[in-house]
Amino acid sequence: MRLAVINDEVSQSITTAAVETARLGFAGLELRSSEETAPHRMSDTHLRTLRETVARHGLEVAGFDPPALKCPLPRTGAEIDAVRDMVADAVRRAGLLGAPFVRIFTFYREGDPDPRAAAKAAREVLTQLPAGRVPLIVETGMRTNTPTMRHTLEFLDALGDDTTGVLWDPGNSVFSGWDTAPFPADYAAGRDRIRHVHVKDPDGQRSYVRLGDGDLPWPAILTTLAEDGYQGWLSLETHWRVGRPPLTQSQRDEPWGGAFTAGGLEASRTCMTILREMVEATS
């Protein structure tokens, strides 16, 4: 297992994020916003600077997190075209970054999750993407049509694409209210398709807290991942802040810029240390 952190959970400065990441013994940065710019609005020059800075500090790009398919279910041809253009652009940007994947969602749900309706719309978007592209992975998303692993597997089954993996974020499953205990059963159902793991700790549906203080049994999860031979990234998505109120829903929906990052440096330092110690305890 390799340790990473999402850069804007640490700092809007990619240099500061890289320095802290390397200092704390992590190997990668998962890239989202930087210098007050959302991932899907960065210039090519900005993207190349991110890649060069990550490499200069001896780190790897652990993933790329644009808001692809993080929108209402498209209903018209024009809406489908707009979503397709965003995903195609995200894939292009990921190539510039040298990212191993593009994280995608499954559209905001309307009422109960509807993975099959989401998959039908996603097929129209994804089938026209070029072959040989950067891989896509589907996140278990708090407000999307796949808040749990079982919803995500239903989505992938309906999508009919065996190459698309899962970004397992059990914190999202708890925070969504759809699965208050996603380990071990939810994990076991989809472990063969997990390609990436986001690490954060929810306190029910109230807020995120310091890693180890919330509802998820992270030591047991990490031990099981190690025993199962998981070789992917464990990427900290802190979502807890020091010296400020909890993140709002709008900040979690659009997690970029200083309003999102403020208070994250101290919180992420603390959680990175805890996560590293938890992983070391599994060996």
Side-chain angles (χ1 to χ4, degrees):
M1 297 184 289
R2 294 174 291 170
L3 295 178
V5 62
I6 300 179
N7 69 292
D8 58 9
E9 296 281 354
V10 180
S11 175
Q12 281 293 304
S13 163
I14 189 62
T15 298
T16 298
V19 167
E20 289 297 314
T21 299
R23 184 180 69 82
L24 289 167
F26 278 40
L29 275 172
E30 187 171 337
L31 300 178
R32 198 161 54 194
S33 69
S34 169
E35 308 298 345
E36 303 297 324
T37 307
H40 55 302
R41 298 193 178 102
M42 293 176 181
S43 68
D44 288 2
T45 298
H46 192 163
L47 294 167
R48 292 189 184 99
T49 297
L50 292 178
R51 180 174 184 171
E52 291 165 2
T53 303
V54 170
R56 188 166 63 250
H57 288 84
L59 304 171
E60 295 180 48
V61 174
F64 181 50
D65 295 345
L69 278 65
K70 195 176 187 181
C71 59
L73 200 71
R75 304 292 186 187
T76 67
E79 290 173 346
I80 290 171
D81 288 344
V83 175
R84 183 184 298 117
D85 289 346
M86 172 173 271
V87 177
D89 185 58
V91 168
R92 184 190 69 82
R93 290 168 182 271
L96 289 176
L97 289 168
F101 67 79
V102 174
R103 183 275 314 275
I104 66 172
F105 290 99
T106 54
F107 308 107
Y108 286 132
R109 64 178 179 269
E110 301 170 3
D112 290 349
D114 193 344
R116 294 190 174 276
K120 180 179 179 181
R123 270 200 310 274
E124 297 188 64
V125 170
L126 303 179
T127 53
Q128 296 188 34
L129 294 177
R133 53 174 165 73
V134 175
L136 306 177
I137 58 174
V138 179
E139 180 165 347
T140 50
M142 194 271 287
R143 291 215 298 133
T144 71
N145 284 287
T146 53
T148 72
M149 182 67 79
R150 66 180 180 275
H151 292 115
T152 305
L153 295 176
E154 185 178 350
F155 170 86
L156 291 173
D157 181 61
L159 186 66
D161 180 3
D162 292 336
T163 66
T164 301
V166 174
L167 191 167
W168 187 48
D169 188 327
N172 282 343
S173 298
V174 174
F175 209 84
S176 74
W178 281 91
D179 193 339
T180 58
F183 180 83
D186 210 38
Y187 163 77
R191 64 184 177 187
D192 292 339
R193 300 203 67 166
I194 293 172
R195 301 291 178 268
H196 193 79
V197 177
H198 276 175
V199 179
K200 55 183 183 277
D201 216 347
D203 176 17
Q205 294 179 269
R206 291 173 289 278
S207 66
Y208 287 94
V209 296
R210 188 179 69 167
L211 185 63
D213 290 349
D215 295 333
L216 288 168
W218 277 111
I221 292 172
L222 297 174
T223 296
T224 300
L225 285 166
E227 290 173 348
D228 287 348
Y230 176 70
Q231 297 294 313
W233 291 100
L234 297 171
S235 195
L236 179 69
E237 189 182 19
T238 318
H239 268 27
W240 167 58
R241 296 291 182 264
V242 173
R244 59 172 286 189
L247 296 173
T248 66
Q249 183 63 60
S250 62
Q251 288 166 341
R252 293 192 304 270
D253 284 346
E254 297 186 350
W256 38 77
F260 169 79
T261 301
L265 180 58
E266 182 179 352
S268 292
R269 281 172 175 161
T270 298
C271 291
M272 290 169 77
T273 300
I274 293 169
L275 178 57
R276 189 186 67 238
E277 292 172 350
M278 286 181 177
V279 171
E280 288 172 351
T282 69
S283 60

